[in-house]
Amino acid sequence: MKTLKVINQNQSCCITTKDIEVQESVNNSNKNLPIVIIGAGPIGLATAAHLVEQNQSFILLEAGNEIAHNIRTWGHVTLFSPWRYNINKAAKSLLEGSDWIEPNLETIPTGHELIDLYLKPLAELTQIKPSIRLNSKVVGISRQLNDKMKSKNRFNQSFNIYVEKEDDIDIIEAKAVIDATGTWGNPNPVNSTGVWLKNEKALADHIKYGIPDINTNPKRYANKKVAVIGGGHSAINTLLALAELQKDNPATKLVWIMRKKSVEEAYGGEEKDALAARGALGIRIHELVDTGKVEVITPFYISQVKKEENIHIVGTINGEQKVLTGFEELIVNTGNRPDLSINSELRLSIDSATESVQALAPLIDPNEHSCGTVREHGEEILRQPEMDFYIVGAKSYGRAPTFLMATGYEQVRSITAYLSGDEEASKRVELELPETGVCSINLVNQSNTCC
């Protein structure tokens, strides 16, 4: 049976505001409590670095057994953007006071390199390491003594963060909470309507979500019929990696299933692309399709997948129902969505379409924006009705795939300034991106590339 352990942290800190109208700082009895950051990925660690700069106490909770645990699961993948846009300014300032060796800012890291050359050294700094708690899974957040329904004296109450740690449940008291848990690990299903069905869950041993490292387990896909589902860069790079496997295992059959009106939409500008690297990526996948190494089925809208003698994919194409058969493995690149379950006892303003922070939705709607056209935004846009609670990073974007680390760094710079009482700094814009957007940069000499 799990026990409850209440942790009352008497450390330094701040004030804050929220709601549509800016409110005064809350009860002075909370001022010595820490700020709790949930998620020790790039955005969570950047938040910690900014709080160090602001001389604020904090606790950084990570569910995994190491910092950036989620990134490690896709460590073989190469990011879109070079180091220049992946290193937070406050973090860099702290690291420069240590023996850290800065990587070449014009090169593009893999996920493993992002952790090992930047995030891990940052987490080891004496100003940050004592405040990190690994293997600490947050299962809920509430106001002390209040559920979501209670309004009286609500914003004078501290937060309670419920943390599963081994066989105990710790309750950590905080004056403010910053949720940087991201969306990785909570993928969208294959179903085109976004509904999870038990048939898909039953096929878990034959479905991989995201970009698998083909080289770690080539037997899983070699000489099998594999469906890659999705029309974005993740799907393209998955196919490029599988095509390398296909060279030594010619019986490997690759089928690319997407919803685009035509496969040409996925190629991009190719040789006419303003960015040669991005264009070259389109040229490579175009060649694989033209030479028959990759079969394309589009526009195909999947209604369900099911296991019979092999995996059947049921859906419609051009208004007619069709069943695709013979598959042994599926790789699903249909994006991710936020898990808001830990926030269920807080008062939130979430957009009904994107599942992003509501005020942010018009700025990031993927129907209107790429990551290169998302405007800078900070504390005021990210404010929630639950005063002193913020959702940041990829999770703040909900289902929209336009998030950039650099944008997340600007979010937490603004929020931490505000929580430290510097409203003027919170309103400043310090984000600098190239006009093309760093999301447009790609590595062509890598088999896997990502955001």
Side-chain angles (χ1 to χ4, degrees):
M1 182 175 180
K2 293 189 174 181
T3 60
L4 292 178
K5 181 168 54 178
V6 179
I7 300 178
N8 195 334
Q9 301 287 340
N10 288 317
Q11 304 174 36
S12 67
C13 188
C14 77
I15 23 184
T16 176
T17 95
K18 286 238 167 327
D19 261 336
I20 304 295
E21 297 181 10
V22 177
Q23 303 184 30
E24 291 281 334
S25 174
V26 296
N27 197 328
N28 281 337
S29 64
N30 293 334
K31 71 178 182 179
N32 291 324
L33 295 173
I35 296 171
V36 166
I37 310 160
I38 309 173
I43 307 305
L45 283 162
T47 306
H50 281 288
L51 289 174
V52 169
E53 279 195 336
Q54 299 285 357
N55 197 31
Q56 300 290 334
S57 66
F58 63 91
I59 296 172
L60 178 53
L61 301 172
E62 168 60 45
N65 59 9
E66 69 168 333
I67 56 100
H69 173 77
N70 279 341
I71 292 180
R72 189 66 80 186
T73 66
W74 54 266
H76 61 286
V77 177
T78 303
L79 280 69
F80 282 151
S81 52
W83 276 112
R84 178 177 302 282
Y85 301 107
N86 296 322
I87 297 175
N88 171 259
K89 290 181 180 178
K92 181 177 180 179
S93 178
L94 292 177
L95 284 165
E96 286 176 341
S98 69
D99 59 357
W100 177 65
I101 300 174
E102 183 178 71
N104 183 336
L105 295 181
E106 303 309 317
T107 61
I108 304 179
T110 63
H112 289 316
E113 290 168 339
L114 184 69
I115 296 173
D116 297 333
L117 301 182
Y118 166 53
L119 297 177
K120 191 173 280 188
L122 178 62
E124 288 294 320
L125 293 176
T126 56
Q127 303 98 312
I128 293 178
K129 185 175 181 178
S131 299
I132 297 177
R133 300 184 184 179
L134 302 176
N135 298 306
S136 297
K137 182 181 179 181
V138 174
V139 295
I141 310 164
S142 71
R143 288 285 180 176
Q144 190 176 42
L145 307 178
N146 282 335
D147 62 18
K148 183 188 288 187
M149 285 287 294
K150 306 301 181 186
S151 296
K152 186 177 180 180
N153 203 35
R154 182 175 188 86
F155 298 134
N156 287 328
Q157 300 290 340
S158 60
F159 289 95
N160 281 349
I161 298 92
Y162 295 81
V163 183
E164 285 185 353
K165 191 171 178 66
E166 297 178 350
D167 293 328
D168 288 344
I169 293 180
D170 293 348
I171 304 177
I172 301 175
E173 200 175 351
K175 67 180 177 184
V177 180
I178 298 173
D179 181 349
T181 54
T183 60
W184 191 259
N186 197 41
N188 292 322
V190 299
N191 194 324
S192 296
T193 61
V195 177
W196 278 95
L197 301 174
K198 66 178 183 179
N199 287 351
E200 180 172 348
K201 294 177 181 178
L203 285 168
D205 290 343
H206 298 280
I207 301 179
K208 180 70 177 179
Y209 299 89
I211 308 175
D213 188 351
I214 305 298
N215 293 328
T216 61
N217 188 13
K219 290 183 179 179
R220 175 168 181 172
Y221 303 105
N223 300 315
K224 294 181 180 179
K225 186 176 182 180
V226 182
V228 176
I229 300 166
H233 284 99
S234 293
I236 290 174
N237 284 287
T238 297
L239 286 161
L240 294 178
L242 287 168
E244 291 299 310
L245 178 72
Q246 192 183 51
K247 290 178 180 179
D248 296 324
N249 301 275
T252 306
K253 176 139 181 86
L254 306 179
V255 181
W256 188 9
I257 302 170
M258 65 181 115
R259 292 183 292 181
K260 294 184 184 297
K261 290 182 180 179
S262 67
V263 68
E264 284 75 19
E265 291 182 27
Y267 297 154
E270 298 184 81
E271 68 278 352
K272 297 179 182 178
D273 199 306
L275 292 171
R278 183 177 59 185
L281 191 69
I283 292 171
R284 289 174 62 194
I285 191 65
H286 194 166
E287 181 183 358
L288 290 174
V289 172
D290 283 353
T291 56
K293 293 180 174 62
V294 173
E295 176 188 354
V296 176
I297 300 176
T298 196
F300 194 83
Y301 293 82
I302 299 173
S303 58
Q304 63 174 311
V305 292
K306 54 186 179 180
K307 184 78 165 68
E308 295 189 6
E309 186 176 334
N310 43 50
I311 300 173
H312 290 191
I313 302 175
V314 182
T316 58
I317 185 167
N318 298 322
E320 296 183 7
Q321 185 168 342
K322 186 173 182 178
V323 181
L324 309 177
T325 63
F327 296 100
E328 297 166 89
E329 294 287 340
L330 308 182
I331 300 177
V332 181
N333 296 133
T334 54
N336 300 281
R337 59 180 66 177
D339 181 358
L340 297 169
S341 60
I342 66 170
N343 316 125
S344 62
E345 289 305 318
L346 301 177
R347 297 178 178 182
L348 304 181
S349 182
I350 301 296
D351 182 67
S352 60
T354 61
E355 294 185 354
S356 69
V357 173
Q358 189 166 43
L360 184 56
L363 306 181
I364 64 170
D365 184 347
N367 295 299
E368 304 293 335
H369 296 280
S370 72
C371 46
T373 63
V374 173
R375 241 180 30 235
E376 64 283 338
H377 52 274
E379 185 278 334
E380 189 172 4
I381 289 290
L382 296 167
R383 223 175 260 167
Q384 289 289 340
E386 194 70 64
M387 191 169 73
D388 300 332
F389 173 76
Y390 296 89
I391 297 173
V392 300
K395 189 172 182 177
S396 71
Y397 277 47
R399 299 191 187 196
T402 46
F403 175 71
L404 294 171
M405 267 190 280
T407 308
Y409 293 158
E410 176 67 1
Q411 289 180 341
V412 298
R413 182 207 61 78
S414 173
I415 289 169
T416 54
Y418 188 85
L419 290 175
S420 302
D422 191 345
E423 188 173 346
E424 187 277 328
S426 76
K427 292 181 177 180
R428 281 201 307 265
V429 175
E430 297 186 9
L431 179 65
E432 296 178 7
L433 294 175
E435 291 182 6
T436 55
V438 297
C439 58
S440 302
I441 299 173
N442 238 321
L443 263 190
V444 201
N445 59 355
Q446 298 287 342
S447 60
N448 295 313
T449 318
C450 187
C451 43

